[in-house]
Amino acid sequence: MAVLKSRSIYFIAFFLLFFMVFPLTAKADMGPKPQITVIVKNPPNKEYYLDLLVKEERSYDNLDMDRASFDQNKLALLESYDVDGWHPGLTQGTRIPMHGKLTGDKESDVMIHTFSYVGVPDDFKIIIITPDNHSMVSQEIHRDMFNYKVYFDYNTGEITTEKITFSYIREFLLTCLPTLLIEGFVLLLFGFSLRKNLKPFLIINVLTQILLTASVGQMIQKEGHLSGYFILIPVEIIIFLVEMLAFSLLLKEYSKTRRALYAFTANLLSFLAGIFLLLWA
């Protein structure tokens, strides 16, 4: 591949820097809100109601429909449930608003129940009012991720949850693999031999991606994407400086200035791509 002329390389770096200095902004209220998704396996064929049991004040009525439109027998069971301080959050209320509905959405052979917004609890139980008006209550569950998935087997009452370790691994792969592709392409664009520089290229990028996942990734899993973006810039500045120094010392061709300019350009491109990739993490 032909090597770009020095003026072209400097122009690309300046063009990318412009977008870093003048980033897009968004209102904080537009950010994502916490969510609990309950996936019911082996659901009954007839209508049942599902709510989250919480231990907190009943300040907000969270039902999305007029109470007269519900099955009154099932609704009465939820409205009267209060055991050791646990009560249904949608039906009886929460301290701050929570969105959701008592009926789920069918998807393939499971039912999906989604609870969201700022009132989503950290600790909760699942209560189901069966088609024949009996109640099923799960053990207490602790939400340790911003977007939390719970699998409930209707036949056995067994609860399984998504492991946070798996989420970290998925997030690392989601950001690391595209980074290697983007920065590898830029390495060739700057005229470096991938074969001669493969070892430092892989080591530096994998280590900095581990740093990114351990800091920004952890914040996203715990507090959501908006919180993750608050620390993304300072973490990326550290990564920029570390990679510019490391690549200027460890790459095997051209001057240190060209190596550092490569590191800056490659990081800026992967940073811009990473902003969008983190939305899927």
Side-chain angles (χ1 to χ4, degrees):
M1 180 181 292
V3 180
L4 289 179
K5 293 182 179 180
S6 297
R7 288 183 179 179
S8 299
I9 294 174
Y10 282 105
F11 175 78
I12 292 172
F14 175 80
F15 180 77
L16 294 173
L17 180 61
F18 176 84
F19 287 99
M20 186 179 183
V21 175
F22 300 101
L24 295 175
T25 59
K27 293 181 180 179
D29 191 53
M30 296 175 63
K33 303 300 186 290
Q35 180 173 294
I36 294 173
T37 303
V38 180
I39 301 159
V40 178
K41 301 178 180 178
N42 304 308
N45 294 324
K46 297 181 180 180
E47 184 179 68
Y48 66 92
Y49 286 174
L50 186 149
D51 205 340
L52 299 183
L53 297 180
V54 299
K55 273 189 171 182
E56 55 187 60
E57 300 174 14
R58 299 169 173 87
S59 301
Y60 284 89
D61 184 353
N62 296 306
L63 284 184
D64 59 348
M65 298 166 58
D66 184 80
R67 288 180 180 262
S69 63
F70 291 96
D71 181 307
Q72 294 303 300
N73 292 324
K74 291 180 174 56
L75 187 63
L77 290 172
L78 290 171
E79 288 178 332
S80 62
Y81 188 94
D82 192 335
V83 177
D84 297 327
W86 293 96
H87 67 271
L90 283 181
T91 312
Q92 295 189 29
T94 51
R95 183 175 58 84
I96 48 181
M98 177 176 69
H99 297 164
K101 59 182 183 177
L102 297 179
T103 54
D105 299 308
K106 189 169 181 59
E107 185 174 303
S108 186
D109 58 346
V110 300
M111 291 290 287
I112 308 296
H113 300 260
T114 303
F115 302 86
S116 62
Y117 208 58
V118 292
V120 165
D122 291 332
D123 299 292
F124 63 96
K125 296 181 181 181
I126 296 170
I127 182 171
I128 288 179
I129 305 300
T130 67
D132 55 355
N133 296 328
H134 290 91
S135 61
M136 301 170 58
V137 177
S138 75
Q139 73 267 27
E140 185 176 345
I141 304 164
H142 176 70
R143 178 175 66 91
D144 59 1
M145 287 188 285
F146 192 75
N147 294 315
Y148 194 63
K149 289 184 179 180
V150 181
Y151 297 85
F152 181 88
D153 192 315
Y154 184 88
N155 289 341
T156 65
E158 181 183 3
I159 291 284
T160 54
T161 59
E162 183 179 8
K163 302 299 182 184
I164 195 167
T165 302
F166 173 77
S167 296
Y168 286 141
I169 294 173
R170 180 184 60 190
E171 185 171 306
F172 172 79
L173 294 175
L174 184 64
T175 55
C176 186
L177 295 179
T179 294
L180 292 176
L181 290 174
I182 292 170
E183 298 199 12
F185 175 76
V186 177
L187 188 76
L188 297 176
L189 196 64
F190 270 73
F192 291 94
S193 167
L194 185 59
R195 180 180 59 83
K196 294 179 181 179
N197 297 285
L198 184 60
K199 186 175 180 180
F201 172 78
L202 288 176
I203 291 174
I204 293 169
N205 273 295
V206 169
L207 289 178
T208 52
Q209 284 299 309
I210 290 174
L211 171 62
L212 189 66
T213 302
S215 54
V216 178
Q218 185 180 45
M219 183 65 72
I220 288 173
Q221 293 295 337
K222 296 286 188 180
E223 304 293 336
H225 288 89
L226 189 61
S227 297
Y229 285 141
F230 279 129
I231 68 167
L232 179 60
I233 296 297
V235 171
E236 281 289 352
I237 290 174
I238 294 172
I239 290 176
F240 266 63
L241 295 175
V242 168
E243 290 206 6
M244 288 178 69
L245 177 61
F247 278 124
S248 67
L249 294 175
L250 298 178
L251 289 181
K252 300 182 181 299
E253 300 167 292
Y254 302 110
S255 66
K256 289 185 177 180
T257 301
R258 190 184 185 92
R259 298 173 191 175
L261 186 58
Y262 152 71
F264 175 83
T265 305
N267 268 283
L268 190 52
L269 281 172
S270 61
F271 164 72
L272 294 173
I275 290 177
F276 297 99
L277 288 171
L278 285 174
L279 290 173
W280 301 94

